[in-house]
Amino acid sequence: GALAAALQPTLAMADPQLLAALDLMRRMPPSRCETSLEELVDLVPHLTDDLLNTIDQPLQTAKDAQGNAYLLCDYNRDGDSYRSPWTNEYDPPLSDGVLPSPKLRAMETLANDIFEGYREMYYEGGISSVYFWDLDESSFAACVLVKKDAEEKKKLEAGNWDAIHVVEVRPLGPKRAAYKLTTTIMLRIKTGHAVGVHEGEMNLSGSLTRQKEEELAVGDVASHVANMGRMVEEMENRMRDTLQSIYFGKTKSVVNGLYQSGGAEANKKKDMLAQALMAEMGKRNAD
């Protein structure tokens, strides 16, 4: 997932048992990610923190004391408490919870407002949250989360889109910075099908992870947020197109190959007619 990809150098030196557990998770059905993770934690309880910190799961939601909805992940967790990006407070309350520095908090507040508008424009609903934290004295990182649940309609029983964007920012001087974006998108679709008296359903789920690195000009705090926003927007658009072709285009091709509604004989005649037309057009062009 996004965190595993961002921590790739660290994972290379990790416990072989942890690497084996992560490899096993990659082979499990995405639709039962939470169940598989719970079972894996039962098998190797000493790796619980490492597994929870490394494996991307469908995003969960919560509401702070002011009624603002926000998303839960490892980046706003401290023990069993989660920090709201709107109030900057933990729930359940923590007296010593980790908080971003004033400079990062200012960027975090701005980023949450900007991505709120981005979410409304692209998703027309859902929930978004952005969290910032320090990497060292000069570098920092941010996580942009977006979750959208589809409304039930007609044959669509359930649908979920979870996007996790992790951006590492390292200054290259007073006016340039290096950005490393790791994005994971998790998609789940469940539809109902009925043929006559026979009921059935189709589950389609999976995840896609991509990385991108860029060096961009920076000025003030707002320019960092603008650069990250531009990278996230471009990455989401590219991955959305990829998911469209992989999930839906390929699935349609496979289904058509397994079941031909017009009958194999009728489709064969269509193919023969198309070939005959192509051959005739080729002859006329040659003449």
Side-chain angles (χ1 to χ4, degrees), residues 100-112:
S101 63
K103 180 181 178 181
L104 284 189
R105 177 56 186 163
M107 273 196 281
E108 185 179 83
T109 302
L110 175 62
N112 273 284

Side-chain angles (χ1 to χ4, degrees), residues 110-205:
L110 175 62
N112 273 284
D113 290 338
I114 289 176
F115 277 99
E116 186 85 347
Y118 170 87
R119 175 187 56 75
E120 284 295 336
M121 182 175 67
Y122 277 100
Y123 290 86
E124 298 182 351
I127 302 173
S128 62
S129 296
V130 186
Y131 303 103
F132 279 69
W133 66 96
D134 288 297
L135 293 175
D136 53 42
E137 292 183 359
S138 59
S139 305
F140 64 92
C143 178
V144 180
L145 308 172
V146 183
K147 182 180 184 67
K148 173 70 181 289
D149 293 328
E151 298 178 3
E152 290 187 27
K153 55 176 65 175
K154 294 184 179 179
K155 294 184 178 181
L156 179 63
E157 297 180 3
N160 313 95
W161 171 287
D162 295 280
I164 303 172
H165 307 274
V166 179
V167 188
E168 298 175 36
V169 184
R170 301 186 183 278
L172 299 175
K175 294 186 177 182
R176 289 192 72 78
Y179 299 83
K180 181 180 179 181
L181 170 64
T182 304
T183 296
T184 294
I185 291 179
M186 290 173 280
L187 179 66
R188 293 183 176 189
I189 298 174
K190 181 180 178 182
T191 59
H193 292 273
V195 179
V197 296
H198 302 287
E199 297 288 337
E201 65 179 32
M202 182 183 76
N203 283 294
L204 188 63
S205 60

Side-chain angles (χ1 to χ4, degrees), residues 12 22 61 78 87 94 104 123 129 149 173 191 195 215 242 262 271:
L22 294 175
T61 63
D78 192 339
T87 62
L94 278 181
L104 284 189
Y123 290 86
S129 296
D149 293 328
T191 59
V195 179
E215 293 182 7
T242 302
D271 291 339

